[in-house]
Amino acid sequence: VPPKTPPSGEFALIARYFAPLSRGVPGAYDLTDDAAWIRAEPGLDWVVKTDAIVAGVHFLPDDPPDLVARKVLRVNLSDLASKGAIPRFYLLDAVLPKDIDESWIAGFAEGLGADQHEFDVKLIGGDTTSTPGALTLAVTALGQIASGCMLRRGTAQAGDDVYVSGTLGDAALGLLVLRGGLNRLSPAARDALISRYRLPQPRVSLGPALLGLARASMDVSDGLVADLGHICETSGLGAIVVEASVPLSPAAREALREHPALMSAVLTGGDDYEILFTLPPAGREKVAALAHRLNLPLTRIGAMQSGSGVKVMRADGSERALDSPGWQHF
Amino acid sequence: VPPKTPPSGEFALIARYFAPLSRGVPGAYDLTDDAAWIRAEPGLDWVVKTDAIVAGVHFLPDDPPDLVARKVLRVNLSDLASKGAIPRFYLLDAVLPKDIDESWIAGFAEGLGADQHEFDVKLIGGDTTSTPGALTLAVTALGQIASGCMLRRGTAQAGDDVYVSGTLGDAALGLLVLRGGLNRLSPAARDALISRYRLPQPRVSLGPALLGLARASMDVSDGLVADLGHICETSGLGAIVVEASVPLSPAAREALREHPALMSAVLTGGDDYEILFTLPPAGREKVAALAHRLNLPLTRIGAMQSGSGVKVMRADGSERALDSPGWQHF
């Protein structure tokens, strides 16, 4: 029989830190029941997604707990957004070292609360358990979308333009900074890159606005080349990316001026959490209007074509050789 | 930028072992997309639940992988069943040590497949990631139920009978056997207890049959006394349990003949995955008929009463003192 601890522990933590995050959801019962119910609404599908993050793999063990919370929530919201869904609820598995500080949990819950407010989502269930290993967090997110309308990866067509939101490469460069690299960058640029690594900005307004406009869509989490590769593979196509058109932040431009070779990291580095989507060239004006309305850059970076694989064309017309298309775990 | 491995790894594993588990679900797209959709059906709610298990905490690192798979799935199905829901889908976060054998993953997926067949559920999404720590698995399960009918913990009333399905304590005693205890038990008894620890039997037929019959319901996972305590607390009541009425398997009876003090482990040990439910005494005949129809013991073990807390009454009329009501992680 496992060792016992006082009954104050686990349930007190849930009541104190997590139950308040479920307030106002009729089916969540303050997280005091075994499960929650969510009601179906006619004409809407639920879009479901789960993603886990692990200390030492997806975040640094000494990252502030509120940022870790927001990261695990946001990577899931980013996926829902890229599918065109409006985020509504999430469940959380918090797998925590036995000796964790209550202050860590308090900070973590504070981060969740801040993002619940920002993104209008609520916690409806979860599990809190101990581990002898690395702190691990899994979120399952649920969003709503008009029935049958979920945006997909496998529906691009040859000749589609390829667009991406925001800027690419900041998170990968931010991780380099955190690991002691890019020393000659200005402090402002270093801070900007680090914050993009630590705190993704899921494009929750953009995703639902792409319904009826985009043909294929996904978020960039494994790196541009890898993720565009996923669209290619599932659509049975290839793609070409014009390197000079890849959108870069001022901080990334500064880093690339110092170290031009880092362009590979920008193209393959991952953790961007921008939306990558395709649509026929006839939609260009609509995309421009949408970018204006959302005040968010939507940049045409290439095109889908027959064949397979992603080709990145450099300014001199040559094709960039890439060692590895992106991050994989095994 | 994180280290790279060949693109064959993660996605090949998903395609080979996990995608087949999603076949036949239109919204799952062979797990090649970022998310899945599930359609709402008018008049039905979705019941959602997540539970994580960790090597060295919830299972032993050398447990057979197919049994580990079935365990993480079944603990979630047990929760859905106790809420009256019919299990339909699940998502899986597989957080695996980097050096894991592919044969482990193959065995794990085989176990999932066997249980999908047995319980008529399908995988619709997940995440596969590496960890420097303990192998961790999180399942989020989705079941369906008539709108507004989810069975709850907090709805027991004073005077309700308290029932439990199956037998209690086998898993806790099985863990003792695995840890080298109970040496004088017969091999058959030892095997029976171990298999109850390793492979819960979620009462998926019982749960939905309790709709309209049970007032409160939950599954016994933290131990009888702790879980009945949860019903008490959320219902604002107390409960009394008649120790002599607690249902025991032949193997547990054999163990208790040798070591009567193990009755505490039976009452508080956890991992039973039986359903604990309450209803007014007027329903006794219906419960008996249900037990007969399902060929599953449903045993009246006590009653809800005003007050608070769970009292266990021994055969001599005294109250059993319990050190700790059940398992907690912190």
Side-chain angles (χ1 to χ4, degrees):
Chain A
V1 184
K4 311 295 185 183
T5 54
S8 56
E10 183 179 354
F11 303 108
L13 288 178
I14 293 168
R16 192 171 312 140
Y17 296 111
F18 296 116
L21 301 172
S22 72
R23 292 262 160 78
V25 183
Y29 302 113
D30 288 330
L31 308 185
T32 61
D33 216 306
D34 307 271
W37 56 260
I38 54 174
R39 189 130 301 161
E41 286 178 55
L44 296 181
D45 290 344
W46 288 103
V47 175
V48 293
K49 164 70 197 175
T50 191
D51 243 332
I53 68 173
V54 180
V57 181
H58 304 84
F59 61 97
L60 305 174
D62 58 352
D63 278 347
D66 60 318
L67 287 186
V68 173
R70 301 172 88 168
K71 181 159 187 176
V72 68
L73 189 53
R74 288 174 181 218
V75 299
N76 281 283
L77 299 184
S78 176
D79 273 311
L80 292 187
S82 77
K83 303 290 99 181
I86 297 170
R88 294 288 308 278
F89 302 119
Y90 68 102
L91 299 96
L92 169 72
D93 293 285
V95 180
L96 308 172
K98 240 189 158 52
D99 60 353
I100 195 160
D101 256 27
E102 188 168 328
S103 66
W104 196 95
I105 298 175
F108 180 77
E110 201 172 288
L112 291 178
D115 268 10
Q116 289 198 180
H117 186 73
E118 182 161 349
F119 297 107
D120 198 19
V121 293
K122 297 260 190 175
L123 180 66
I124 59 168
D127 187 26
T128 306
T129 189
S130 60
T131 181
L135 197 157
T136 300
L137 302 159
V139 161
T140 299
L142 298 113
Q144 284 185 305
I145 197 167
S147 269
C149 294
M150 188 180 93
L151 293 171
R152 295 180 48 198
R153 293 180 176 184
T155 42
Q157 294 188 19
D160 278 3
D161 289 336
V162 174
Y163 280 85
V164 72
S165 64
T167 59
L168 293 178
D170 300 313
L173 298 173
L175 183 58
L176 279 182
V177 172
L178 283 171
R179 290 184 170 167
L182 299 177
N183 292 315
R184 284 185 292 179
L185 243 56
S186 66
R190 294 164 58 88
D191 287 352
L193 296 174
I194 289 172
S195 88
R196 282 275 284 173
Y197 170 74
R198 284 202 168 138
L199 194 58
Q201 296 295 335
R203 302 304 185 184
V204 293
S205 299
L206 173 60
L210 291 175
L211 292 178
L213 184 61
R215 270 208 182 117
S217 173
M218 69 179 296
D219 72 334
V220 185
S221 56
D222 291 340
L224 172 67
V225 174
D227 286 324
L228 185 52
H230 295 317
I231 288 181
C232 287
E233 200 178 338
T234 51
S235 299
L237 293 171
I240 192 164
V241 169
V242 178
E243 186 174 296
S245 68
V246 169
L248 300 170
S249 68
R253 283 186 199 283
E254 194 182 321
L256 286 169
R257 270 196 303 272
E258 286 279 340
H259 309 280
L262 286 176
M263 192 66 198
S264 282
V266 168
L267 295 167
T268 65
D271 272 337
D272 295 300
Y273 300 103
E274 297 292 350
I275 299 184
L276 180 68
F277 58 100
T278 84
L279 73 165
R284 285 178 192 172
E285 278 182 32
K286 284 186 181 164
V287 175
L290 181 61
H292 187 73
R293 178 161 71 79
L294 298 176
N295 193 26
L296 173 70
L298 301 175
T299 308
R300 180 158 55 91
I301 59 169
M304 302 301 299
Q305 58 187 15
S306 58
S308 68
V310 177
K311 288 184 174 54
V312 178
M313 307 308 295
R314 310 177 70 157
D316 64 5
S318 67
E319 186 183 336
R320 179 180 282 274
L322 295 162
D323 298 342
S324 160
W327 168 250
Q328 287 213 31
H329 284 283
F330 298 98
Chain B
V1 184
K4 312 295 185 183
T5 53
S8 55
E10 182 179 354
F11 303 107
L13 288 178
I14 293 168
R16 193 172 311 141
Y17 296 110
F18 296 116
L21 300 172
S22 71
R23 293 262 161 77
V25 183
Y29 303 113
D30 288 330
L31 308 184
T32 60
D33 215 304
D34 307 270
W37 56 261
I38 54 174
R39 190 131 302 162
E41 287 178 54
L44 296 180
D45 291 345
W46 288 104
V47 175
V48 292
K49 164 70 196 175
T50 191
D51 242 331
I53 67 173
V54 179
V57 181
H58 305 82
F59 62 97
L60 305 174
D62 59 351
D63 278 346
D66 60 319
L67 287 186
V68 173
R70 300 172 88 169
K71 180 158 188 175
V72 69
L73 189 53
R74 287 173 181 218
V75 300
N76 281 282
L77 299 184
S78 176
D79 273 312
L80 292 187
S82 77
K83 303 290 99 181
I86 297 170
R88 295 288 310 278
F89 303 119
Y90 68 101
L91 300 94
L92 169 72
D93 293 286
V95 180
L96 308 172
K98 241 189 157 55
D99 59 354
I100 195 160
D101 256 28
E102 188 167 327
S103 67
W104 195 95
I105 298 174
F108 180 78
E110 202 172 288
L112 291 179
D115 268 9
Q116 289 199 180
H117 186 72
E118 182 162 347
F119 298 106
D120 198 18
V121 292
K122 298 260 191 176
L123 180 67
I124 58 168
D127 187 25
T128 305
T129 188
S130 60
T131 180
L135 196 157
T136 300
L137 302 159
V139 161
T140 300
L142 298 114
Q144 283 184 307
I145 197 167
S147 269
C149 293
M150 188 181 95
L151 293 171
R152 295 180 50 199
R153 294 180 175 184
T155 43
Q157 295 189 18
D160 278 3
D161 289 335
V162 174
Y163 280 85
V164 73
S165 64
T167 59
L168 294 179
D170 300 314
L173 299 173
L175 183 58
L176 279 183
V177 172
L178 283 169
R179 290 184 170 167
L182 298 176
N183 292 314
R184 285 186 291 179
L185 243 55
S186 66
R190 293 163 59 88
D191 286 354
L193 296 173
I194 290 172
S195 89
R196 282 275 283 174
Y197 170 72
R198 283 202 170 138
L199 194 58
Q201 295 296 335
R203 302 304 185 184
V204 293
S205 300
L206 173 59
L210 291 175
L211 292 178
L213 185 60
R215 270 209 182 115
S217 173
M218 68 179 296
D219 72 335
V220 185
S221 56
D222 291 339
L224 171 66
V225 173
D227 286 325
L228 185 52
H230 295 318
I231 288 182
C232 287
E233 200 178 339
T234 51
S235 299
L237 293 172
I240 190 163
V241 169
V242 178
E243 186 176 295
S245 68
V246 169
L248 300 171
S249 69
R253 281 184 200 283
E254 193 181 322
L256 286 170
R257 270 196 304 272
E258 286 279 340
H259 308 281
L262 287 175
M263 192 64 199
S264 282
V266 168
L267 295 167
T268 65
D271 272 338
D272 295 300
Y273 300 105
E274 297 292 350
I275 299 185
L276 179 68
F277 58 100
T278 84
L279 75 164
R284 286 179 191 172
E285 278 182 32
K286 283 186 182 164
V287 174
L290 181 60
H292 187 74
R293 177 160 73 77
L294 298 176
N295 192 26
L296 174 69
L298 301 175
T299 307
R300 180 159 56 92
I301 59 169
M304 302 302 297
Q305 57 186 17
S306 58
S308 68
V310 177
K311 287 183 175 54
V312 178
M313 306 310 294
R314 311 178 70 158
D316 64 5
S318 67
E319 186 183 337
R320 178 180 283 274
L322 294 163
D323 297 343
S324 161
W327 169 249
Q328 287 211 35
H329 284 283
F330 298 98

